[in-house]
Amino acid sequence: MRKAGPLYTIVSMNLSRRRKTIIWTLILVSLSLLGAGAQRNGQPNPAKVAATEPGYYQVTEVYDGDTIEVLIAGRQEKVRFIGVDTPETHDPRKPVQCFGQAASAKTKELLVGKSVRLEADPADSDRDKYFRLLRYVYLPDGTLLNRQLIADGYGFAYTVFPYAKLSEFQDLEQEAREQGKGLWSACRITQSGQVRQTEP
């Protein structure tokens, strides 16, 4: 016979049925809030990551080179591309960065009016601190857009957080830099810690 856990032992003490119901309700609500809090803080949620969205989803908006909005089950969801960081175009704290408009235009060219396949990465969080879905984004022809943007010099390999394709993306960035593609020949690049960015 399986041993009862500590929560079961506490609630099984000599209490009235009403008190037991209240205690169980409080325990379940607390566990739900803890799970939701972890997800909002961008912590990995294995259950969510495992349930990767099947099929293709309509792109409803392109915010910039590495962030889009798609329609999932009747709901608009912001999606941040895993592993690629394109120059900023909408950060209110700084001017538009060099090659930011080009990266945004490239993503629009490839995605406007299209549907994409989304894929989570078990090594990464399900959502970031802004509650955006973190996903690999595949075009209808099978092209991985995250990979393509780095290979063509529209963005940097993002190395702040771990993900399965980190080494591959770093190699692609190295090749783009050596060949002077995109931002590597058009912009002045600065680095702070692990974050690189182009100057306006």
Side-chain angles (χ1 to χ4, degrees):
M1 189 174 186
R2 202 168 78 178
K3 255 180 142 179
L7 287 177
Y8 182 84
T9 303
I10 292 168
V11 180
S12 298
M13 292 188 306
N14 189 18
L15 300 171
S16 70
R17 178 179 288 180
R18 185 167 179 270
R19 285 185 177 174
K20 286 180 184 178
T21 302
I22 291 170
I23 291 172
W24 274 118
T25 301
L26 289 172
I27 289 169
L28 292 173
V29 168
S30 298
L31 291 173
S32 297
L33 289 173
L34 284 172
Q39 189 180 33
R40 278 195 299 271
N41 289 327
Q43 298 302 313
N45 186 329
K48 283 282 188 185
V49 172
T52 303
E53 300 83 359
Y56 283 80
Y57 297 91
Q58 182 70 34
V59 176
T60 55
E61 188 167 352
V62 174
Y63 288 99
D64 57 24
D66 56 34
T67 307
I68 60 174
E69 186 176 79
V70 300
L71 190 63
I72 299 178
R75 177 178 173 176
Q76 304 285 352
E77 285 276 9
K78 262 191 180 182
V79 178
R80 173 67 167 82
F81 301 175
I82 293 174
V84 58
D85 189 25
T86 61
E88 294 290 343
T89 58
H90 294 297
D91 191 332
R93 299 164 299 177
K94 57 183 80 166
V96 174
Q97 295 175 331
C98 177
F99 229 70
Q101 296 287 9
S104 183
K106 185 64 176 178
T107 298
K108 282 180 182 175
E109 174 194 327
L110 294 171
L111 295 186
V112 167
K114 305 244 178 90
S115 292
V116 293
R117 181 168 67 83
L118 304 176
E119 183 181 298
D121 187 329
D124 202 354
S125 300
D126 187 55
R127 293 180 185 267
D128 65 10
K129 64 182 180 179
Y130 303 110
F131 210 56
R132 299 175 296 188
L133 286 172
L134 296 171
R135 294 292 185 267
Y136 294 115
V137 178
Y138 289 88
L139 302 178
D141 66 1
T143 299
L144 175 55
L145 184 55
N146 315 46
R147 182 186 194 281
Q148 199 63 47
L149 289 171
I150 297 169
D152 291 342
Y154 287 100
F156 303 102
Y158 196 58
T159 61
V160 176
F161 301 108
Y163 53 96
K165 298 182 186 295
L166 175 58
S167 294
E168 177 190 351
F169 285 8
Q170 286 179 307
D171 290 343
L172 289 167
E173 180 188 272
Q174 176 70 24
E175 290 174 19
R177 182 166 65 244
E178 289 173 353
Q179 294 170 21
K181 290 185 176 180
L183 58 79
W184 295 106
S185 61
C187 308
R188 183 173 176 182
I189 298 163
T190 60
Q191 181 161 348
S192 176
Q194 292 177 277
V195 178
R196 273 160 302 175
Q197 55 186 3
T198 59
E199 293 188 353

